[in-house]
Amino acid sequence: EDQVTQSPEALRLQEGESSSLNCSYTVSGLRGLFWYRQDPGKGPEFLFTLYSAGEEKEKERLKATLTKKESFLHITAPKPEDSATYLCAVQGRAAGNKLTFGGGTRVLVKP
Amino acid sequence: DTGVSQDPRHKITKRGQNVTFRCDPISEHNRLYWYRQTLGQGPEFLTYFQNEAQLEKSRLLSDRFSAERPKGSFSTLEIQRTEQGDSAMYLCASSLPDTQYFGPGTRLTVL
């Protein structure tokens, strides 16, 4: 069974203080690893898809990287509007089409 | 707005009542998914449709839950004889073969 663990559970940052979120996973053949952002009371918003170890993707202040066992989401010089819960999910070859999510990391960026 | 839409956004019901939620996917997407998310947790997979065929169902989908996608476009999720434990955010997502895009969710509260 695919499993995803995210750490830390919560992160408080000062504006401009860069940090990284971790997503550790076990999966029977990775089809894709996905990062989403979720604001309170809303659905997850797609950020990135990573397919193979060594792959990196960037969008504004966010950069996602992937190894064979984990993924990192780096937040560079965050702003208060980056405050959200960041969700990591995997899609495994043996698990059909479903996504298996971690519990998320709640990020609060204070001005 | 051409994203995934869900209706209603909020539903309050009494224990034992039946409820039905609707999801309209992105128009060209042939794959549709339902997930459930409780407070502080990541979404959990419930079921998956490709066109009108329901191809995957989670063990979480008890016999009180039924989902349909009659013409391969919109989908409905019905919960019969609701229980307090059914209180959650119900999320719908759609995709082509790859990235799943989520709707805003339906928040269900069972009193």
Side-chain angles (χ1 to χ4, degrees):
Chain A
E1 186 172 329
D2 301 342
Q3 291 189 324
V4 178
T5 303
Q6 292 187 245
S7 62
E9 290 186 1
L11 192 58
R12 294 166 67 96
L13 300 171
Q14 287 296 129
E15 184 172 2
E17 179 188 0
S18 300
S19 188
S20 295
L21 284 53
N22 177 264
C23 170
S24 297
Y25 65 91
T26 56
V27 66
S28 53
L30 182 69
R31 288 173 57 187
L33 184 141
F34 302 82
W35 283 98
Y36 290 86
R37 168 195 171 121
Q38 187 173 31
D39 292 307
K42 298 188 177 180
E45 175 188 348
F46 171 70
L47 293 173
F48 304 110
T49 307
L50 301 168
Y51 294 103
S52 57
E55 190 174 359
E56 299 183 352
K57 296 243 176 110
E58 285 190 69
K59 178 180 178 180
E60 297 180 352
R61 295 176 294 282
L62 301 177
K63 178 180 178 180
T65 63
L66 181 65
T67 73
K68 289 186 177 180
K69 294 184 178 181
E70 55 191 0
S71 177
F72 292 93
L73 184 67
H74 308 277
I75 309 178
T76 301
K79 298 182 177 182
E81 53 262 43
D82 295 321
S83 298
T85 295
Y86 292 87
L87 295 165
C88 172
V90 296
Q91 190 175 51
R93 296 189 187 282
N97 292 274
K98 72 174 186 179
L99 295 178
T100 299
F101 281 85
T105 295
R106 297 186 306 280
V107 175
L108 176 64
V109 182
K110 302 183 73 174
Chain B
D1 188 344
T2 56
V4 178
S5 62
Q6 293 187 245
D7 185 69
R9 295 292 309 278
H10 304 276
K11 179 71 177 179
I12 300 174
T13 191
K14 294 182 179 179
R15 188 175 53 190
Q17 298 295 303
N18 298 346
V19 294
T20 300
F21 310 141
R22 177 181 170 121
C23 171
D24 287 88
I26 295 171
S27 58
E28 63 268 28
H29 287 183
N30 63 344
R31 302 182 183 203
L32 187 147
Y33 313 78
W34 286 97
Y35 291 81
R36 180 172 68 187
Q37 185 177 27
T38 54
L39 204 60
Q41 303 297 316
E44 294 177 292
F45 172 77
L46 293 178
T47 191
Y48 156 66
F49 290 84
Q50 183 163 330
N51 299 312
E52 65 275 9
Q54 187 175 20
L55 298 183
E56 295 177 39
K57 291 172 64 173
S58 164
R59 293 187 303 273
L60 292 175
L61 211 67
S62 76
D63 56 7
R64 295 185 299 105
F65 288 69
S66 63
E68 294 182 341
R69 194 182 183 198
K71 297 182 179 179
S73 56
F74 73 92
S75 175
T76 58
L77 177 68
E78 181 183 17
I79 309 174
Q80 296 183 329
R81 305 181 302 281
T82 53
E83 303 173 354
Q84 288 186 324
D86 297 331
S87 295
M89 174 80 89
Y90 289 84
L91 293 163
C92 176
S94 70
S95 76
L96 292 171
D98 197 355
T99 300
Q100 295 180 27
Y101 294 89
F102 284 82
T106 295
R107 169 73 65 188
L108 173 66
T109 303
V110 182
L111 301 176

